[in-house]
Amino acid sequence: MTHTTSSSSPAGTIPDSPANRPAPKITLPGCAKRTRRGFSKTPADRLIDVVLALIVVAIVLAVIYPVWFIVIASFSDPTLVSTGKVTLLPRGITFAGYAHILADSRIWTGYRNTLIYSFVGTAVNLVVTLPAAFAMSRREFRPRRIIMFFFAFTMFFSGGLIPSYLLMRQLGLLNSMWVFILPGAFSVFNMIIARSFFENSIPEELRDASQVDGLSYFGFFFRIVLPLSGAIIAVIGLYYFVGHWNDYFTGLIYIHNQELQPLQNVLQMILLANQTQAGAASMSALQSQNFADQIKFGVIIVSTVPLLIIYPFLQKYFNKGVMIGAVKG
Amino acid sequence: MTDIDGPAASVPARRRESLPTRVRAHLSRYWQLWVMVSPAIVFVALFSYVPMYGVQLAFREYDITKGLTGGEFIGLEYFRQFFRDPMFTRILTNTLRISLWTLVMGFIAPIILALLINQIGSKRAKSMVQTITYMPHFISTVVMVAMINIFLAPGTGMVGRLFGGTNLMGEASAFTGVYWVTEVWQHAGWNCIIYLAALSSVDLSLYEAAKLDGAGRLQLTRYVDLPAIMPTAGILLILNMGSVLGVGFEKVWLMQNALNITSSEVISTYTYRIGILGSQFSYSTAIGLFNSVVNFIFLVAANAVARRTSNTSLF
């Protein structure tokens, strides 16, 4: 991307470059646009531009508006929300819903559990995945093909729910925090992403040089490869973290102890099973239903905000991470 | 130094060495790599292959005292029971209907979105649109289903109001539509990243050449952009084919209610209901195995078709 724009941007400023003669005289700041279109626009092009812009704006609004609505509804007067009077901006601002949420001990327990499971889980994930990916990226490591088959087969075939459940029971993992961490400790998909990164982004010369300096594989991995791999560690770390944070299945199947339930299962109780415990005795049925709705909006925000906060910081790595990982089987 | 001319010099010699000697030589050189990969091997063996071994439960009478593999062997009895089950046709058609709709729409939408985003000229607008469209990917299934309920609530929900008194969540016929539309809403932005990456690597001279040949905007998309993303699309389609019967358990389970159950009961939720809730371990394992085998067949078939038609394949 940067290569193409830098090679073509002089075209607008150096008029005697013969290869670029058809380039337009007008130099716009967005030079990627000019190179892609390349030529002056016909009226038809302009019409297409307008139509495209409208479609894109419609898509963006369709994505952002539901999220925005939840945000403003979470601190608007619940009666105004339920009668459709809250549309673009919050009205009748009240934090009663949040106050109620923060007073709910189930939320705090769920939050604490999810934080523990997510951080410990992601740490274990990285400790298992990164060295494995490194070993699998070494071309001179002959058994890697057969090991790869051993791993990849599990992506397409599995024993299914009941054998897994019985295994967890035999291992004593039912009603234990380790069921959130151990069974998913290693994801073949993320390993493949990291392996492709090591193969493509760590030059072979580095290994040769480190070998001359007497570094073993351990030394090479810890002192050369890991420090150069911040991007991929961030990407798969985020994948794993989001996976743990949003994990609902494990809590549903393997955990019956309320004290161990992660946030998502607490959310399910509050959001979908309607166990809001909302409303005072003085409220009418309608009022308490509206208040319950407000609590739901707030709970959605409280549980999702941590992810929405970290993701813009890691966003620049996504394209890279997804691209190198996904296509190469 | 010895490493460089080592292998070539030792090839004839190595052939005469015995297997234990060669294993020892291999280990002395690569033991560190083995150490690094072995935790992963242990985890995969324990948590993926032991359950696969436990699949024989589908052919055995489950016996609580004998655990995963101890019960009496009764062959295909549970499969016969499944095919005779009055639920069989219903859950199979539900599963196929929901997953095929989601597969097709979830495949097309990111391609269209990527082509659209790729048309945006300004870099800043482009990255803003991307940031916004992949945000919903991070919303958890529980929250997603809660949002669906909120927006579809009759009378008070934004979308629900359009349908008057009917609650779409209670309409069996609306379940598939609600399911795939919300899937697309949540994941199209994220899934289009990979296509955008493919599009950004297109050689710009291709556009210029096509322009000189008189191609318009739509033709550029048709003849330059689309072929550029086809290989990627092929691989992704094959990968998705492998889960035709594997509709995500969580979302369907959470969206189910007494009113829509006739069109929302799928294989994975039925397995859970029968197995974990109903404790019919062997029967449920048989249903799960049927599911895995069908998925595997779909995957292999899709792969074969893709290899023959477009030279892209997984294996």
Side-chain angles (χ1 to χ4, degrees), chain B residues 110-152:
Chain B
I111 295 180
I112 295 174
L113 186 63
L115 293 175
L116 277 171
I117 291 179
N118 192 48
Q119 293 289 327
I120 300 174
S122 126
K123 259 193 173 160
R124 200 188 296 165
K126 203 173 188 169
S127 78
M128 203 185 78
V129 172
Q130 277 185 264
T131 307
I132 290 170
T133 50
Y134 40 80
M135 191 176 54
H137 179 77
F138 292 92
I139 297 175
S140 75
T141 314
V142 175
V143 167
M144 189 64 209
V145 175
M147 286 174 67
I148 295 173
N149 281 329
I150 287 170
F151 288 115
L152 291 186

Short mmCIF file of all heavy atoms in Angstrom, two decimals, chain B residues 110-152:
data_model
loop_
_atom_site.label_atom_id
_atom_site.label_comp_id
_atom_site.label_asym_id
_atom_site.label_seq_id
_atom_site.Cartn_x
_atom_site.Cartn_y
_atom_site.Cartn_z
N PRO B 110 -19.87 -9.93 3.32
CA PRO B 110 -18.54 -9.32 3.49
C PRO B 110 -17.89 -8.96 2.16
O PRO B 110 -17.17 -7.97 2.07
CB PRO B 110 -17.73 -10.41 4.19
CG PRO B 110 -18.69 -11.36 4.73
CD PRO B 110 -19.92 -11.28 3.89
N ILE B 111 -18.18 -9.74 1.10
CA ILE B 111 -17.58 -9.44 -0.21
C ILE B 111 -18.14 -8.11 -0.71
O ILE B 111 -17.39 -7.22 -1.14
CB ILE B 111 -17.87 -10.57 -1.21
CG1 ILE B 111 -17.17 -11.86 -0.75
CG2 ILE B 111 -17.44 -10.18 -2.61
CD1 ILE B 111 -17.37 -13.03 -1.66
N ILE B 112 -19.46 -7.96 -0.63
CA ILE B 112 -20.07 -6.70 -1.07
C ILE B 112 -19.55 -5.54 -0.25
O ILE B 112 -19.16 -4.49 -0.78
CB ILE B 112 -21.61 -6.80 -0.97
CG1 ILE B 112 -22.12 -7.85 -1.95
CG2 ILE B 112 -22.26 -5.45 -1.25
CD1 ILE B 112 -23.60 -8.13 -1.84
N LEU B 113 -19.48 -5.74 1.06
CA LEU B 113 -19.03 -4.68 1.94
C LEU B 113 -17.58 -4.28 1.61
O LEU B 113 -17.24 -3.10 1.55
CB LEU B 113 -19.14 -5.12 3.40
CG LEU B 113 -18.83 -4.05 4.43
CD1 LEU B 113 -19.81 -2.90 4.33
CD2 LEU B 113 -18.86 -4.63 5.84
N ALA B 114 -16.75 -5.29 1.35
CA ALA B 114 -15.35 -4.99 1.04
C ALA B 114 -15.25 -4.21 -0.27
O ALA B 114 -14.48 -3.25 -0.38
CB ALA B 114 -14.54 -6.29 0.95
N LEU B 115 -16.04 -4.62 -1.27
CA LEU B 115 -16.01 -3.90 -2.55
C LEU B 115 -16.46 -2.46 -2.36
O LEU B 115 -15.90 -1.53 -2.94
CB LEU B 115 -16.89 -4.60 -3.58
CG LEU B 115 -16.41 -5.99 -4.03
CD1 LEU B 115 -17.43 -6.64 -4.95
CD2 LEU B 115 -15.06 -5.89 -4.73
N LEU B 116 -17.47 -2.26 -1.51
CA LEU B 116 -17.95 -0.91 -1.25
C LEU B 116 -16.89 -0.07 -0.53
O LEU B 116 -16.58 1.05 -0.94
CB LEU B 116 -19.21 -0.96 -0.37
CG LEU B 116 -20.54 -1.20 -1.07
CD1 LEU B 116 -21.63 -1.44 -0.04
CD2 LEU B 116 -20.89 -0.01 -1.95
N ILE B 117 -16.33 -0.64 0.53
CA ILE B 117 -15.34 0.11 1.31
C ILE B 117 -14.14 0.44 0.44
O ILE B 117 -13.56 1.52 0.52
CB ILE B 117 -14.92 -0.69 2.57
CG1 ILE B 117 -16.07 -0.77 3.56
CG2 ILE B 117 -13.71 -0.07 3.23
CD1 ILE B 117 -15.78 -1.55 4.81
N ASN B 118 -13.80 -0.50 -0.44
CA ASN B 118 -12.67 -0.30 -1.32
C ASN B 118 -12.88 0.88 -2.27
O ASN B 118 -11.93 1.47 -2.77
CB ASN B 118 -12.42 -1.58 -2.12
CG ASN B 118 -11.09 -1.55 -2.83
OD1 ASN B 118 -10.09 -1.23 -2.22
ND2 ASN B 118 -11.10 -1.87 -4.11
N GLN B 119 -14.13 1.23 -2.51
CA GLN B 119 -14.44 2.34 -3.42
C GLN B 119 -14.30 3.70 -2.73
O GLN B 119 -14.32 4.73 -3.38
CB GLN B 119 -15.87 2.21 -3.95
CG GLN B 119 -16.09 1.03 -4.87
CD GLN B 119 -15.42 1.21 -6.20
OE1 GLN B 119 -15.30 2.31 -6.71
NE2 GLN B 119 -14.95 0.11 -6.79
N ILE B 120 -14.21 3.68 -1.40
CA ILE B 120 -14.12 4.95 -0.69
C ILE B 120 -12.76 5.56 -0.94
O ILE B 120 -11.73 4.91 -0.77
CB ILE B 120 -14.33 4.76 0.83
CG1 ILE B 120 -15.71 4.15 1.08
CG2 ILE B 120 -14.20 6.08 1.56
CD1 ILE B 120 -15.94 3.79 2.52
N GLY B 121 -12.77 6.82 -1.38
CA GLY B 121 -11.51 7.44 -1.76
C GLY B 121 -10.66 7.85 -0.58
O GLY B 121 -9.50 7.47 -0.47
N SER B 122 -11.26 8.58 0.36
CA SER B 122 -10.45 9.14 1.43
C SER B 122 -10.03 8.08 2.43
O SER B 122 -10.85 7.26 2.87
CB SER B 122 -11.23 10.26 2.12
OG SER B 122 -11.30 10.05 3.49
N LYS B 123 -8.76 8.08 2.76
CA LYS B 123 -8.24 7.06 3.65
C LYS B 123 -8.88 7.14 5.02
O LYS B 123 -9.14 6.13 5.66
CB LYS B 123 -6.72 7.23 3.80
CG LYS B 123 -5.94 6.25 2.96
CD LYS B 123 -4.48 6.25 3.37
CE LYS B 123 -3.75 5.14 2.65
NZ LYS B 123 -2.31 5.34 2.63
N ARG B 124 -9.11 8.38 5.48
CA ARG B 124 -9.64 8.53 6.82
C ARG B 124 -11.08 7.99 6.90
O ARG B 124 -11.43 7.27 7.83
CB ARG B 124 -9.60 10.00 7.25
CG ARG B 124 -9.67 10.14 8.76
CD ARG B 124 -9.81 11.57 9.19
NE ARG B 124 -8.66 12.39 8.84
CZ ARG B 124 -8.66 13.73 8.86
NH1 ARG B 124 -9.78 14.36 9.18
NH2 ARG B 124 -7.59 14.42 8.54
N ALA B 125 -11.87 8.32 5.88
CA ALA B 125 -13.24 7.82 5.85
C ALA B 125 -13.23 6.29 5.80
O ALA B 125 -14.02 5.62 6.47
CB ALA B 125 -13.99 8.37 4.65
N LYS B 126 -12.31 5.76 5.02
CA LYS B 126 -12.21 4.32 4.88
C LYS B 126 -11.96 3.65 6.23
O LYS B 126 -12.66 2.72 6.62
CB LYS B 126 -11.05 4.02 3.93
CG LYS B 126 -11.11 2.69 3.24
CD LYS B 126 -9.97 2.67 2.23
CE LYS B 126 -10.03 1.47 1.34
NZ LYS B 126 -9.07 1.61 0.23
N SER B 127 -10.97 4.16 6.95
CA SER B 127 -10.66 3.49 8.20
C SER B 127 -11.74 3.73 9.24
O SER B 127 -11.98 2.88 10.10
CB SER B 127 -9.28 3.91 8.72
OG SER B 127 -9.36 5.18 9.32
N MET B 128 -12.46 4.86 9.11
CA MET B 128 -13.55 5.09 10.05
C MET B 128 -14.68 4.08 9.79
O MET B 128 -15.21 3.47 10.73
CB MET B 128 -14.08 6.52 9.90
CG MET B 128 -14.78 7.02 11.14
SD MET B 128 -15.51 8.64 10.85
CE MET B 128 -16.96 8.19 9.93
N VAL B 129 -15.00 3.89 8.51
CA VAL B 129 -16.06 2.93 8.19
C VAL B 129 -15.67 1.53 8.67
O VAL B 129 -16.47 0.80 9.25
CB VAL B 129 -16.33 2.91 6.67
CG1 VAL B 129 -17.29 1.78 6.31
CG2 VAL B 129 -16.91 4.24 6.23
N GLN B 130 -14.40 1.18 8.47
CA GLN B 130 -13.94 -0.14 8.93
C GLN B 130 -14.07 -0.27 10.45
O GLN B 130 -14.59 -1.26 10.95
CB GLN B 130 -12.48 -0.36 8.54
CG GLN B 130 -12.32 -0.85 7.12
CD GLN B 130 -10.87 -1.16 6.84
OE1 GLN B 130 -10.15 -0.35 6.30
NE2 GLN B 130 -10.44 -2.34 7.23
N THR B 131 -13.59 0.76 11.15
CA THR B 131 -13.65 0.71 12.61
C THR B 131 -15.08 0.48 13.09
O THR B 131 -15.33 -0.34 13.97
CB THR B 131 -13.15 2.04 13.20
OG1 THR B 131 -11.87 2.31 12.66
CG2 THR B 131 -13.05 1.96 14.71
N ILE B 132 -16.01 1.19 12.48
CA ILE B 132 -17.40 1.08 12.92
C ILE B 132 -17.98 -0.27 12.53
O ILE B 132 -18.64 -0.92 13.35
CB ILE B 132 -18.23 2.23 12.34
CG1 ILE B 132 -17.82 3.53 13.01
CG2 ILE B 132 -19.71 1.97 12.53
CD1 ILE B 132 -18.39 4.75 12.37
N THR B 133 -17.71 -0.73 11.32
CA THR B 133 -18.37 -1.97 10.90
C THR B 133 -17.81 -3.19 11.62
O THR B 133 -18.51 -4.18 11.76
CB THR B 133 -18.32 -2.20 9.38
OG1 THR B 133 -16.97 -2.06 8.95
CG2 THR B 133 -19.20 -1.23 8.65
N TYR B 134 -16.55 -3.16 12.10
CA TYR B 134 -16.19 -4.37 12.82
C TYR B 134 -16.35 -4.35 14.32
O TYR B 134 -16.16 -5.34 14.97
CB TYR B 134 -14.88 -5.05 12.42
CG TYR B 134 -13.62 -4.38 12.08
CD1 TYR B 134 -12.75 -3.90 13.03
CD2 TYR B 134 -13.23 -4.36 10.75
CE1 TYR B 134 -11.52 -3.38 12.68
CE2 TYR B 134 -12.01 -3.84 10.40
CZ TYR B 134 -11.16 -3.36 11.36
OH TYR B 134 -9.96 -2.88 11.02
N MET B 135 -16.83 -3.24 14.80
CA MET B 135 -17.10 -3.17 16.24
C MET B 135 -18.09 -4.24 16.74
O MET B 135 -17.83 -4.86 17.77
CB MET B 135 -17.62 -1.77 16.55
CG MET B 135 -17.71 -1.43 17.98
SD MET B 135 -18.23 0.28 18.13
CE MET B 135 -19.72 0.30 17.15
N PRO B 136 -19.22 -4.47 16.04
CA PRO B 136 -20.19 -5.43 16.61
C PRO B 136 -19.64 -6.84 16.78
O PRO B 136 -20.19 -7.62 17.53
CB PRO B 136 -21.32 -5.44 15.55
CG PRO B 136 -21.16 -4.20 14.79
CD PRO B 136 -19.71 -3.89 14.79
N HIS B 137 -18.55 -7.14 16.07
CA HIS B 137 -17.95 -8.47 16.19
C HIS B 137 -17.59 -8.80 17.63
O HIS B 137 -17.55 -9.96 18.03
CB HIS B 137 -16.72 -8.54 15.29
CG HIS B 137 -16.00 -9.85 15.34
ND1 HIS B 137 -16.45 -10.96 14.68
CD2 HIS B 137 -14.87 -10.22 15.98
CE1 HIS B 137 -15.62 -11.96 14.91
NE2 HIS B 137 -14.66 -11.54 15.69
N PHE B 138 -17.31 -7.77 18.43
CA PHE B 138 -16.84 -7.99 19.79
C PHE B 138 -17.97 -8.10 20.80
O PHE B 138 -17.72 -8.35 21.98
CB PHE B 138 -15.88 -6.87 20.20
CG PHE B 138 -14.61 -6.92 19.43
CD1 PHE B 138 -14.45 -6.21 18.26
CD2 PHE B 138 -13.58 -7.72 19.86
CE1 PHE B 138 -13.29 -6.29 17.53
CE2 PHE B 138 -12.41 -7.81 19.14
CZ PHE B 138 -12.26 -7.09 17.97
N ILE B 139 -19.19 -7.91 20.35
CA ILE B 139 -20.33 -8.06 21.25
C ILE B 139 -20.55 -9.55 21.51
O ILE B 139 -20.56 -10.34 20.59
CB ILE B 139 -21.58 -7.42 20.61
CG1 ILE B 139 -21.36 -5.92 20.42
CG2 ILE B 139 -22.81 -7.70 21.44
CD1 ILE B 139 -22.48 -5.24 19.68
N SER B 140 -20.74 -9.90 22.76
CA SER B 140 -20.92 -11.32 23.07
C SER B 140 -22.29 -11.80 22.63
O SER B 140 -23.21 -11.01 22.41
CB SER B 140 -20.75 -11.55 24.56
OG SER B 140 -21.91 -11.12 25.25
N THR B 141 -22.40 -13.12 22.49
CA THR B 141 -23.66 -13.69 22.02
C THR B 141 -24.81 -13.36 22.97
O THR B 141 -25.92 -13.04 22.53
CB THR B 141 -23.53 -15.21 21.90
OG1 THR B 141 -22.31 -15.50 21.24
CG2 THR B 141 -24.66 -15.78 21.10
N VAL B 142 -24.53 -13.43 24.27
CA VAL B 142 -25.59 -13.14 25.24
C VAL B 142 -26.11 -11.72 25.06
O VAL B 142 -27.32 -11.49 24.98
CB VAL B 142 -25.05 -13.34 26.68
CG1 VAL B 142 -26.11 -12.93 27.69
CG2 VAL B 142 -24.62 -14.76 26.91
N VAL B 143 -25.19 -10.78 24.95
CA VAL B 143 -25.59 -9.39 24.75
C VAL B 143 -26.29 -9.21 23.41
O VAL B 143 -27.30 -8.51 23.30
CB VAL B 143 -24.36 -8.46 24.86
CG1 VAL B 143 -24.67 -7.08 24.35
CG2 VAL B 143 -23.87 -8.40 26.30
N MET B 144 -25.78 -9.89 22.40
CA MET B 144 -26.39 -9.80 21.07
C MET B 144 -27.85 -10.24 21.11
O MET B 144 -28.73 -9.56 20.57
CB MET B 144 -25.57 -10.69 20.12
CG MET B 144 -25.92 -10.54 18.67
SD MET B 144 -25.56 -8.90 18.05
CE MET B 144 -26.80 -8.82 16.78
N VAL B 145 -28.08 -11.37 21.74
CA VAL B 145 -29.46 -11.88 21.80
C VAL B 145 -30.33 -10.93 22.64
O VAL B 145 -31.49 -10.68 22.30
CB VAL B 145 -29.49 -13.32 22.36
CG1 VAL B 145 -30.91 -13.80 22.53
CG2 VAL B 145 -28.74 -14.25 21.43
N ALA B 146 -29.74 -10.37 23.70
CA ALA B 146 -30.50 -9.39 24.49
C ALA B 146 -30.87 -8.20 23.62
O ALA B 146 -32.00 -7.70 23.68
CB ALA B 146 -29.69 -8.95 25.69
N MET B 147 -29.93 -7.75 22.79
CA MET B 147 -30.23 -6.62 21.91
C MET B 147 -31.33 -6.98 20.92
O MET B 147 -32.21 -6.17 20.64
CB MET B 147 -28.96 -6.18 21.17
CG MET B 147 -27.99 -5.42 22.04
SD MET B 147 -26.42 -5.04 21.22
CE MET B 147 -26.96 -3.88 19.98
N ILE B 148 -31.27 -8.20 20.39
CA ILE B 148 -32.31 -8.63 19.46
C ILE B 148 -33.67 -8.56 20.15
O ILE B 148 -34.64 -8.01 19.63
CB ILE B 148 -32.04 -10.07 18.95
CG1 ILE B 148 -30.76 -10.10 18.13
CG2 ILE B 148 -33.21 -10.57 18.11
CD1 ILE B 148 -30.31 -11.49 17.74
N ASN B 149 -33.72 -9.09 21.38
CA ASN B 149 -34.98 -9.05 22.13
C ASN B 149 -35.46 -7.63 22.34
O ASN B 149 -36.65 -7.33 22.19
CB ASN B 149 -34.81 -9.73 23.49
CG ASN B 149 -34.85 -11.24 23.36
OD1 ASN B 149 -35.52 -11.78 22.49
ND2 ASN B 149 -34.11 -11.93 24.23
N ILE B 150 -34.54 -6.76 22.71
CA ILE B 150 -34.92 -5.37 22.98
C ILE B 150 -35.46 -4.70 21.73
O ILE B 150 -36.52 -4.07 21.74
CB ILE B 150 -33.71 -4.59 23.53
CG1 ILE B 150 -33.41 -5.04 24.97
CG2 ILE B 150 -33.96 -3.09 23.48
CD1 ILE B 150 -32.10 -4.53 25.51
N PHE B 151 -34.76 -4.87 20.62
CA PHE B 151 -35.18 -4.16 19.42
C PHE B 151 -36.41 -4.76 18.77
O PHE B 151 -37.14 -4.09 18.06
CB PHE B 151 -34.02 -4.07 18.42
CG PHE B 151 -32.96 -3.11 18.85
CD1 PHE B 151 -31.69 -3.56 19.16
CD2 PHE B 151 -33.24 -1.77 18.98
CE1 PHE B 151 -30.71 -2.67 19.59
CE2 PHE B 151 -32.27 -0.88 19.42
CZ PHE B 151 -31.01 -1.34 19.72
N LEU B 152 -36.63 -6.05 19.00
CA LEU B 152 -37.80 -6.68 18.39
C LEU B 152 -39.03 -6.68 19.30
O LEU B 152 -40.09 -7.13 18.89
CB LEU B 152 -37.47 -8.12 17.98
CG LEU B 152 -36.49 -8.28 16.81
CD1 LEU B 152 -36.36 -9.73 16.43
CD2 LEU B 152 -36.93 -7.47 15.61
#
